[in-house]
Amino acid sequence: MESLFDGINIFHTTGITLGLSEFWHEYLLELIKFAKSKGIKVVFDMNYRSGLWSQEEAKQAFVKVLLYVDVLSANKLDAKHFMDIEIEDESNSEKFLDQIAQNIQM
């Protein structure tokens, strides 16, 4: 695994990869942890696809991954369904982004 990350400073992955199979769920989490341990920035796009797995399965996986994420790509539905954030004002993106940041830091 060490050589896989040689010369890399950003590791980008998605929820689609997590949802492909149980193997990818476990292996991708291992890759993310390894990258993080080497000081590599982890970028994660939640990118949920209902054809791959249920919302509950995705939520369980996302919770584990979010602990290691430096940059997150998520929308309001991701915040609502996977981070239990209530979206009060649909037009206030800044507040929604602040709530995501607070949840991840916990």
Side-chain angles (χ1 to χ4, degrees):
M1 187 179 311
E2 188 87 32
S3 64
L4 182 63
F5 288 96
D6 282 349
I8 302 298
N9 55 18
I10 297 175
F11 178 55
H12 176 88
T13 190
T14 72
I16 291 173
T17 307
L18 274 177
L20 290 176
S21 68
E22 185 62 30
F23 168 82
W24 278 108
H25 171 103
E26 293 173 15
Y27 189 56
L28 187 58
L29 184 57
E30 187 178 323
L31 288 171
I32 289 169
K33 288 178 180 180
F34 183 80
K36 192 70 173 181
S37 76
K38 296 298 181 185
I40 296 168
K41 297 280 186 206
V42 175
V43 179
F44 184 68
D45 183 345
M46 292 185 99
N47 214 344
Y48 171 72
R49 294 291 186 263
S50 61
L52 295 175
W53 53 354
S54 71
Q55 281 187 3
E56 187 56 37
E57 290 170 315
K59 183 177 180 178
Q60 290 175 13
F62 291 161
V63 165
K64 294 175 188 173
V65 167
L66 291 175
L67 296 172
Y68 304 97
V69 169
D70 296 297
V71 179
L72 175 66
S73 176
N75 62 37
K76 291 179 183 180
L77 288 177
D78 294 329
K80 179 179 178 181
H81 294 292
F82 304 118
M83 293 180 252
D84 298 325
I85 294 173
E86 291 298 322
I87 307 300
E88 297 169 9
D89 180 1
E90 291 297 323
S91 64
N92 190 342
S93 292
E94 188 173 317
K95 184 175 181 181
F96 141 74
L97 295 174
D98 287 343
Q99 288 176 297
I100 287 177
Q102 287 174 6
N103 274 24
I104 291 174
Q105 292 173 359
M106 297 178 121

